[in-house]
């Protein structure tokens, strides 16, 4: 073996072997599967909008660790892979490409544009899958799905038609969030942020020329849609104005002054314009007072005929022009700076407008049972505080707007008869006639469904539900029975409401059970300083670059080690260096073992007999139990930490060192290390497989992989041997400590004595202590040895005889240290005894000096104690 592990020569070739042998598929571990043990986890399908980011790498790493663990633990395992069509996001990507080419989707036409998007999907989807493979993830690739494949198209139509026929999907004219680029958005697709805006104070003159009222607005371009002016009914300033008419500035359309308790009398002038078609609150007022709903711009944000001379101008571009005109005519009297919240489209960042539009909605009633079952504890969140966030959202749930004004996506399966205006939902893509009047003149709704509608079915649609015989090769008849409900969902907290809550809603509604038993919400991956990663900051980490620079194993283990539940991950180069050193530790341990023994049997094929073998076996047993407990409760960081501690500190720092005094134990240690590598395998699958075969004298090419071998369990414990080695370790540490006092920390000494407080087999202990403490001879005694350096610890005392050691240089050195410490002590003590100094010095300086004095005093006492022991 070379001195250095070279992942680039291992990872790609090993991955191909694993995949080609079908290890990732549900029967890949058939030889170790146990009856009635099934595990299912669905990959959150990444959007086909480019490539994976480090957040994806975290999600997939944690999913792969738990999947590999379950596979090795005898479960029939399905990790369902796939990608998402991501309607708005993907259409935006392709539209930008077209604009760069000097054309638009409208010029191409719907059919040609969709062909173009499909080509992009193939490119982007291929990139994403390549990246996942480089990370070493092991989903059932033969079952890979795309949210717009033929089978899932059928499932979407099945779900839509059922909900439509149940009256749970309806079409209404309703106030929605409107992006003038992307169309209708659901509430959670709107990102609100504070902006530095302005408050425009405008005078509306009475129609009878008796004066005016002043109204303040942040959106002057919408006043053309005003259908009333509103005051609070109890506002004494304006009671006499209720019922009067005012003229809209510039266009002089008459509107009435109404009274409504919605008005905040304390805010602004206490007089509010009412624009029912362009403001969410005004919409409700308009319904209450039966006001006219006047749209003053169209779906693209272009001002219409209601806006007089400004017709044809985009709403935001028109604002300054309108303000200038209002100033010229004397209607605009004041402009104030005003910080307020403005909604932006979560994809294109365009300012979102409240807008009345005819859209399709899923009733919030569909979610009712899933909410009840979640509150009853039928699904558990990890960490548990996410249940509170789920409650906060679901308790305020509104109907879900599911129609989108896009071309890319699942076309809404609703048809209209051109003869009798009948409307119906149909799974047939091309119905021949109207079911009511039999006319053949039909057209389909032009809109597509919200991306999250198809994603909401992801827990069961890839398992064959509603696929109508399509894509049969990607699922089996028993899949729904075996893998629904899914065992676990792992995803980022940022899509809890977009996706998780909606999957729970749809899963319960169509399958009668919540889709998951456990939901693990991981946090964000930030840079090493805790800043959110963004292209503009230049701190984005590309997972593929990390794999090329470090290795998939190092990336995976680093992410797992840092994944504390509920805490953001700070990822930096120092973390990757730390775990690169860990891979070196694993490799060097294997190198040491094979220097002494050529090949090692598996633990099941050997009986451990040596004291060191029994001790390391018992410590391995504890590590296995801890890793299992941590993984079962999704504490990936604790599992990784246990592995790190056991391999580095227990097996390498102590076990391998002990073996230098017990050559007959090396064969056993090799077998125990092979078992350790099985435990490492879910986290670092490449190096663990490589080293396992090196230690076995085999190759992956001619034998099975670790990934389909049993995960360690029920390893024999021996508390007596552990207690003995705890005392051996204590004795070694104590002798090393005593040697430091006499400046012989790393030197060999001829003699040391040990007085034990507990009985152990001293014949077994002696060679280990002598070898690791670097002492020619250890003697166990029952009383204190005179003329010796003493070190006292919990279970023993160590004595190093001084008669054979030249103590003068050691004593001289300590005397100099004492002299220096005494001067420091006297100086500080003198300052703090000086009343003038204490009275005038700042409090923090006094405090620092007191702390320093205490430290010097402790150091002085320690030096004096050492001098006393030497004399």
């Amino acid at each position: 073996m070379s001195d250095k592990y070279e992942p680039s020569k291992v990872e790609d070739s090993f991955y191909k072997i694993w995949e080609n042998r079908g290890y990732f598929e549900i029967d890949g571990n058939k030889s170790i599967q146990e009856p009635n043990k099934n595990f299912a986890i669905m990959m959150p399908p990444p959007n086909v909008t480019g490539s994976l980011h480090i957040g994806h790498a975290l999600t997939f790493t944690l999913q792969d660790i738990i999947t590999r663990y379950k596979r090795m633990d005898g479960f029939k395992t399905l990790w369902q892979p796939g990608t998402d069509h991501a309607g708005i996001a993907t259409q935006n990507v392709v539209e930008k490409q077209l604009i760069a080419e000097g054309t638009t989707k409208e010029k191409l036409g719907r059919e040609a544009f969709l062909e173009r998007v499909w080509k992009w999907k193939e490119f982007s989807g291929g990139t994403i899958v390549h990246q996942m493979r480089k990370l070493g993830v092991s989903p059932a690739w033969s079952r890979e799905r795309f949210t717009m494949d033929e089978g899932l198209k059928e499932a979407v139509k099945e779900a839509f038609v059922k909900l439509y026929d149940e009256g749970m999907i309806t079409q209404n004219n309703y106030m929605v969030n409107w992006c003038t680029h992307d169309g209708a958005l659901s509430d959670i697709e709107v990102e609100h942020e504070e902006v530095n805006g302005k408050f425009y104070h405008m005078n509306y003159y009475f129609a009878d020329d008796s004066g005016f009222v002043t109204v303040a607005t942040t959106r002057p371009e919408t006043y053309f849609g005003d259908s009333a002016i509103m005051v609070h009914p109890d506002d004494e300033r304006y009671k006499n104005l209720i019922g009067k008419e005012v003229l809209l500035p510039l266009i002089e359309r008459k509107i009435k002054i109404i009274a409504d308790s919605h008005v905040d009398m304390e805010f602004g002038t206490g007089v509010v314009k009412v624009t029912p078609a362009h403001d969410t609150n005004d919409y409700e007022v308009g319904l209450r007072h039966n006001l006219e709903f006047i749209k003053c711009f169209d779906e693209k944000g272009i001002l219409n005929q209601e806006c007089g001379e400004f017709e044809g101008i985009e709403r935001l571009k028109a604002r300054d022009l309108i303000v200038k005109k209002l100033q010229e005519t004397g209607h605009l009297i004041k402009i104030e700076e005003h910080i307020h919240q403005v909604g932006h489209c979560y994809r294109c960042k365009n300012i979102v407008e409240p807008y009345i539009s005819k859209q399709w909605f899923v009733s919030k009633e569909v979610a009712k049972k899933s909410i009840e079952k979640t509150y009853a504890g039928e699904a558990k969140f990890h960490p548990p505080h996410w249940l509170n966030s789920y409650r906060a959202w679901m308790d305020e749930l509104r109907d879900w707007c599911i129609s989108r004004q896009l071309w890319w996506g699942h076309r809404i399966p609703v048809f209209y008869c051109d003869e009798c205006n009948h409307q119906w939902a149909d799974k047939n893509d091309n119905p021949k006639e109207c079911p009511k009047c039999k006319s053949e003149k039909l057209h389909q709704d032009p809109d597509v469904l919200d991306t999250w509608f198809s994603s909401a079915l992801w827990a069961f649609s890839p398992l064959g539900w509603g696929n109508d015989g399509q894509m049969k090769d990607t699922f089996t008849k028993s899949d729904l029975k075996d893998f629904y409900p899914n065992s676990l969902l792992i995803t980022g907290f940022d899509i809890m409401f977009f996706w998780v809550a909606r999957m729970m809603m749809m899963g319960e509604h169509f399958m009668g059970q919540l889709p998951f038993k456990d939901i693990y919400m991981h946090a964000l991956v930030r840079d090493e300083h805790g800043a959110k990663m963004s292209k503009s900051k230049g701190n984005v980490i590309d997972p593929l670059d990390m794999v090329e620079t470090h290795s998939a194993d190092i990336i995976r283990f680093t992410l797992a080690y840092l994944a504390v539940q509920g805490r953001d991950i700070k990822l930096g180069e120092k973390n990757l260096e730390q775990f690169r050193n860990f891979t070196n530790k694993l490799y060097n341990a294997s190198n040491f073992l094979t220097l002494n023994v050529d090949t090692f049997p598996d633990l099941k094929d050997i009986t451990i007999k040596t004291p060191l073998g029994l001790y390391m076996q018992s410590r391995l047993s504890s590590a296995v139990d801890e890793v299992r407990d941590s993984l079962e409760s999704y504490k990936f960081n604790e599992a990784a930490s246990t592995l790190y501690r056991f391999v580095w500190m227990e097996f390498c720092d102590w076990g391998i060192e002990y073996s230098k005094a017990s050559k007959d134990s090396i064969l056993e240690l090799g077998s125990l290390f092979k078992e350790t590598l099985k435990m490492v395998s879910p986290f670092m699958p490449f190096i663990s497989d490589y080293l396992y075969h090196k230690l076995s004298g085999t190759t992956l090419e001619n034998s099975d992989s670790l990934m389909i071998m049993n995960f360690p369990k029920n390893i024999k414990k021996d508390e007596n041997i552990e207690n003995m080695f705890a005392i051996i370790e204590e004795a070694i540490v104590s002798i090393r400590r005593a040697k430091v006092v006499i400046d012989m920390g790393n030197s060999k000494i001829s003699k040391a004595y040990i007085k034990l407080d507990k009985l152990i087999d001293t014949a077994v202990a002696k060679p280990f202590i002598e070898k690791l403490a670097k002492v020619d001879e250890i003697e166990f005694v029952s009383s204190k040895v005179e003329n010796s350096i003493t070190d006292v610890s919990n279970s023993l005392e160590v004595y190093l005889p001084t008669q054979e050691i030249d103590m003068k240089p050691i004593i001289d050195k300590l005397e100099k240290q004492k002299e220096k410490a005494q001067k420091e002590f006297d100086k500080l003590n003198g300052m703090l005894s000086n009343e003038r100094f204490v009275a005038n010095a700042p409090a923090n300086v006094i405090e620092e000096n007191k702390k320093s004095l205490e430290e010097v005093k402790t150091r002085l006492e320690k030096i004096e104690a050492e001098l006393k022991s030497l004399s």
Side-chain angles (χ1 to χ4, degrees):
M1 293 173 75
S2 67
D3 292 336
K4 198 174 178 186
Y5 172 61
E6 297 176 87
S8 59
K9 293 183 178 178
V10 173
E11 294 187 347
D12 287 346
S13 62
F14 274 33
Y15 192 90
K16 282 174 189 158
I17 293 170
W18 296 337
E19 187 176 351
N20 291 339
R21 287 185 186 169
Y23 287 156
F24 305 162
E25 307 302 324
I26 62 170
D27 286 330
N29 65 335
K30 199 166 184 64
S31 61
I32 60 169
Q33 281 180 14
E34 298 172 33
N36 304 315
K37 285 178 74 170
N38 296 329
F39 177 82
I41 186 168
M42 310 306 259
M43 177 185 291
N47 297 344
V48 287
T49 49
S51 57
L52 301 182
H53 53 66
I54 195 66
H56 290 120
L58 174 62
T59 303
F60 297 145
T61 294
L62 299 183
Q63 288 180 311
D64 195 49
I65 289 168
I66 198 73
T67 300
R68 286 174 178 273
Y69 165 67
K70 292 292 183 180
R71 192 183 283 131
M72 292 177 75
D73 205 28
F75 283 77
K76 182 180 182 180
T77 302
L78 170 63
W79 181 14
Q80 174 66 53
T83 49
D84 195 300
H85 68 281
I88 291 176
T90 306
Q91 180 156 322
N92 277 340
V93 167
V94 179
E95 280 196 71
K96 283 175 185 172
Q97 292 171 359
L98 293 176
I99 290 166
E101 294 166 16
T103 187
T104 64
K105 75 177 195 297
E106 286 76 18
K107 287 178 185 173
L108 277 185
R110 187 166 190 150
E111 196 170 318
F113 175 73
L114 290 178
E115 284 179 18
R116 178 69 181 258
V117 185
W118 275 106
K119 281 182 185 173
W120 169 255
K121 177 263 169 188
E122 291 303 318
F123 170 76
S124 175
T127 301
I128 286 166
V129 167
H130 168 69
Q131 286 180 299
M132 286 197 238
R133 285 184 160 97
K134 291 294 280 185
L135 276 168
V137 302
S138 61
W141 285 120
S142 72
R143 293 165 169 254
E144 185 185 348
R145 303 300 297 267
F146 176 55
T147 51
M148 280 175 59
D149 69 33
E150 291 304 319
L152 297 189
K153 271 187 185 175
E154 294 301 317
V156 167
K157 289 187 286 187
E158 175 83 10
F160 186 98
V161 171
K162 280 189 174 182
L163 289 167
Y164 179 95
D165 291 343
E166 291 168 4
M168 291 294 183
I169 287 182
T170 53
Q171 190 181 37
N172 298 303
N173 273 312
Y174 195 70
M175 176 71 72
V176 296
N177 304 298
W178 188 266
C179 172
T180 56
H181 180 264
D182 294 320
L185 303 172
S186 64
D187 290 345
I188 52 177
E189 290 173 314
V190 179
E191 295 176 343
H192 292 274
E193 57 185 73
E194 276 193 352
V195 298
N196 293 316
K198 290 181 169 56
F199 232 176
Y200 302 89
H201 293 255
M202 300 163 58
N203 286 343
Y204 286 42
Y205 290 89
F206 294 122
D208 61 4
D209 285 334
S210 61
F212 59 84
V213 287
T214 302
V215 177
T217 179
T218 58
R219 298 159 69 216
E221 67 277 5
T222 63
Y223 87 86
F224 299 110
D226 289 359
S227 52
I229 292 290
M230 181 166 60
V231 298
H232 196 283
D234 299 332
D235 195 331
E236 296 294 337
R237 294 172 293 175
Y238 305 118
K239 273 189 174 180
N240 62 323
L241 301 181
I242 297 168
K244 289 191 75 166
E245 290 183 326
V246 296
L247 300 172
L248 280 182
L250 305 183
I251 57 172
E252 302 205 330
R253 175 162 50 81
K254 289 181 181 180
I255 58 173
K256 279 191 174 181
I257 297 177
I258 63 170
D260 193 286
S261 55
H262 171 71
V263 177
D264 181 355
M265 290 187 283
E266 305 300 320
F267 186 72
T269 62
V271 183
V272 182
K273 65 197 263 322
V274 185
T275 321
H278 295 288
D279 184 275
T280 307
N281 295 320
D282 292 359
Y283 176 80
E284 301 295 336
V285 173
L287 292 175
R288 284 199 295 275
H289 293 269
N290 200 26
L291 300 176
E292 189 178 357
F293 287 73
I294 303 166
K295 289 183 183 179
C296 60
F297 53 78
D298 66 12
E299 294 177 350
K300 297 295 180 187
I302 307 300
L303 300 188
N304 60 22
Q305 70 280 357
E306 299 288 345
C307 306
E309 65 188 273
F310 303 102
E311 181 179 357
I313 305 172
E314 198 278 329
R315 78 212 193 283
L316 297 179
K317 290 179 182 174
R319 180 177 292 177
D320 288 344
L321 299 174
I322 294 166
V323 166
K324 186 180 178 187
K325 186 73 172 183
L326 291 168
Q327 284 173 322
E328 289 171 358
T329 59
H331 288 93
L332 187 66
I333 59 163
K334 184 168 65 169
I335 302 175
E336 292 178 324
E337 295 299 318
H338 178 61
I339 296 172
H340 61 128
Q341 294 275 337
V342 175
H344 294 77
C345 174
Y346 82 118
R347 284 297 179 193
C348 70
K349 308 308 175 189
N350 186 15
I351 289 177
V352 169
E353 298 284 353
Y355 194 76
I356 292 177
S357 180
K358 197 171 192 179
Q359 301 292 338
W360 291 97
F361 293 85
V362 173
S363 169
K364 63 182 180 182
E365 291 302 308
V366 175
K368 191 175 178 184
K369 285 186 179 176
S370 70
I371 295 170
E372 289 171 359
K373 289 183 178 181
T374 305
Y375 289 0
E378 291 186 28
K380 288 186 169 56
F381 284 95
H382 305 267
H385 70 76
W386 284 113
L387 177 61
N388 298 331
S389 302
Y390 175 85
R391 274 183 181 274
W393 179 262
M394 302 311 276
D395 287 349
E396 300 295 326
L397 195 62
R398 302 200 310 178
D399 291 349
W400 170 20
C401 176
I402 55 168
S403 43
R404 297 290 181 269
Q405 291 63 53
L406 303 170
W407 287 357
W408 173 245
H410 291 277
R411 190 85 173 263
I412 289 177
V414 170
F415 296 85
Y416 304 87
C417 175
D418 298 335
E419 295 282 346
C420 72
N421 295 321
H422 179 58
Q423 177 202 90
W424 76 101
D426 202 321
K427 289 194 290 184
N428 186 346
D429 287 337
N430 296 294
K432 296 290 182 271
E433 60 181 31
C434 170
K436 188 174 180 183
C437 73
K438 307 305 179 187
S439 169
E440 295 180 5
K441 293 180 179 178
L442 317 171
H443 71 275
Q444 187 174 358
D445 195 298
D447 288 351
V448 300
L449 286 164
D450 177 11
T451 296
W452 301 101
F453 187 92
S454 51
S455 300
L457 311 177
W458 187 247
F460 52 95
S461 60
L463 304 177
W465 183 90
N467 280 224
D468 198 25
Q470 301 290 324
M471 312 289 287
K472 284 182 181 176
D473 57 335
T474 63
F475 57 87
T476 65
K477 286 182 180 177
S478 65
D479 279 357
L480 277 168
K481 177 175 71 71
D482 289 344
F483 302 122
Y484 191 92
N486 308 162
S487 312
L488 170 68
L489 176 71
I490 296 179
T491 189
F493 71 87
D494 51 333
I495 54 173
M496 175 187 269
F497 308 115
F498 282 111
W499 190 46
V500 180
R502 286 168 176 168
M503 278 200 290
M504 294 168 82
M505 171 199 313
M506 295 295 218
E508 197 291 324
H509 187 79
F510 289 112
M511 303 296 293
Q513 290 177 281
L514 292 177
F516 328 102
K517 296 164 186 169
D518 291 290
I519 302 161
Y520 176 97
M521 312 292 288
H522 69 69
L524 289 176
V525 184
R526 298 178 178 271
D527 73 11
E528 60 192 317
H529 306 295
K532 195 171 179 179
M533 292 186 192
S534 70
K535 288 178 184 174
S536 60
K537 289 179 185 170
N539 63 348
V540 172
I541 296 175
D542 185 316
L544 216 56
D545 290 345
M546 292 167 71
V547 169
E548 294 296 333
T549 306
H550 296 280
S551 80
D553 282 332
I554 291 171
I555 308 315
R556 292 163 61 98
F557 197 83
T558 304
L559 289 170
Y561 192 92
L562 299 176
V564 180
Q565 282 190 13
R567 191 186 301 168
D568 285 347
I569 287 174
K570 291 181 184 178
L571 181 62
E573 194 62 32
K574 67 179 188 301
N575 307 116
L576 298 164
E577 289 292 329
Q578 177 185 357
F579 297 112
R580 187 182 69 182
N581 295 338
F582 183 57
T583 61
N584 292 340
K585 202 76 171 172
L586 288 166
Y587 193 75
N588 292 338
S590 297
N591 267 353
F592 170 81
L593 292 165
T594 52
L595 280 174
N596 293 275
V597 177
D598 290 336
T599 61
F600 300 86
D602 272 14
L603 186 58
K604 62 182 172 58
D605 300 323
I606 189 175
T607 302
I608 304 293
K609 296 176 180 175
T610 68
L612 177 55
L614 291 168
Y615 168 64
M616 288 313 303
Q617 178 177 251
S618 192
R619 294 308 304 145
L620 174 62
S621 176
S622 296
V624 166
D625 291 345
E626 285 179 39
V627 169
R628 280 181 165 274
D629 288 346
S630 298
L631 287 176
E632 294 293 346
S633 56
Y634 315 119
K635 291 173 180 167
F636 296 94
N637 65 301
E638 291 183 10
S641 179
T642 298
L643 277 174
Y644 185 86
R645 187 200 70 235
F646 175 73
V647 169
W648 193 298
M649 299 172 194
E650 298 197 46
F651 190 89
C652 294
D653 285 1
W654 287 103
I656 283 179
E657 290 304 307
Y658 282 141
S659 74
K660 293 170 185 176
S662 174
K663 294 290 186 185
D664 59 338
S665 68
I666 290 179
L667 184 77
E668 297 174 355
L669 290 187
S671 296
L672 292 164
F673 192 64
K674 284 173 68 178
E675 203 70 9
T676 303
L677 290 170
K678 291 177 186 176
M679 193 163 54
V680 173
S681 177
F683 297 82
M684 306 175 90
F686 295 105
I687 193 171
S688 56
D689 226 351
Y690 176 79
L691 295 178
Y692 176 87
H693 287 294
K694 283 286 184 186
L695 293 169
S696 302
T698 57
T699 64
L700 179 61
E701 287 79 5
N702 64 24
S703 48
D704 283 343
S705 165
L706 268 190
M707 66 177 287
I708 57 160
M709 296 182 188
N710 284 116
F711 196 87
K713 66 177 173 181
N714 301 329
I715 293 173
K716 187 179 178 185
K717 279 194 76 66
D718 187 330
E719 287 190 13
N720 290 331
I721 203 87
E722 283 201 46
N723 291 336
M724 181 176 76
F725 270 88
I727 291 172
I728 290 172
E729 183 179 325
E730 191 179 332
I732 293 164
V733 171
S734 186
I735 291 171
R736 287 173 177 173
R737 227 175 13 237
K739 284 166 69 180
V740 168
V741 174
I742 56 172
D743 253 4
M744 299 187 73
N746 205 34
S747 304
K748 197 165 192 180
I749 60 173
S750 58
K751 186 85 173 181
Y753 299 92
I754 300 173
K755 181 167 81 75
L756 296 170
D757 292 347
K758 296 177 182 175
L759 285 175
I760 61 168
D761 187 333
T762 54
V764 169
K766 193 171 186 287
F768 291 112
I769 300 170
E770 287 172 345
K771 185 74 177 175
L772 270 71
K774 292 188 176 179
V775 180
D776 285 336
E777 187 188 358
I778 293 290
E779 186 178 328
F780 292 94
V781 295
S782 56
S783 60
K784 180 175 170 60
V785 176
E786 298 301 324
N787 301 318
S788 64
I789 306 295
T790 304
D791 186 272
V792 180
S793 60
N794 291 336
S795 307
L796 50 86
E797 290 180 22
V798 160
Y799 312 111
L800 306 187
T802 58
Q803 61 265 36
E804 296 176 22
I805 303 168
D806 181 2
M807 303 302 294
K808 188 175 184 308
I810 299 163
I811 292 169
D812 287 348
K813 182 181 174 184
L814 286 170
E815 288 288 2
K816 282 177 185 174
Q817 288 177 357
K818 179 184 174 184
E819 186 181 342
K820 185 181 176 185
Q822 187 66 54
K823 282 180 182 175
E824 205 175 329
F825 176 85
D826 292 343
K827 181 184 174 185
L828 289 165
N829 193 43
M831 286 166 68
L832 291 168
S833 303
N834 186 325
E835 292 179 8
R836 258 182 89 183
F837 172 78
V838 172
N840 295 318
N844 64 315
V845 172
I846 301 286
E847 205 50 48
E848 281 173 23
N849 280 326
K850 282 182 178 176
K851 189 179 173 187
S852 298
L853 182 68
E854 206 53 47
E855 288 170 359
V856 174
K857 185 182 176 189
T858 303
R859 193 161 76 243
L860 201 53
E861 287 170 353
K862 190 176 177 185
I863 293 168
E864 285 172 343
E866 286 180 13
L867 280 167
K868 187 178 178 183
S869 70
L870 293 177
S871 62

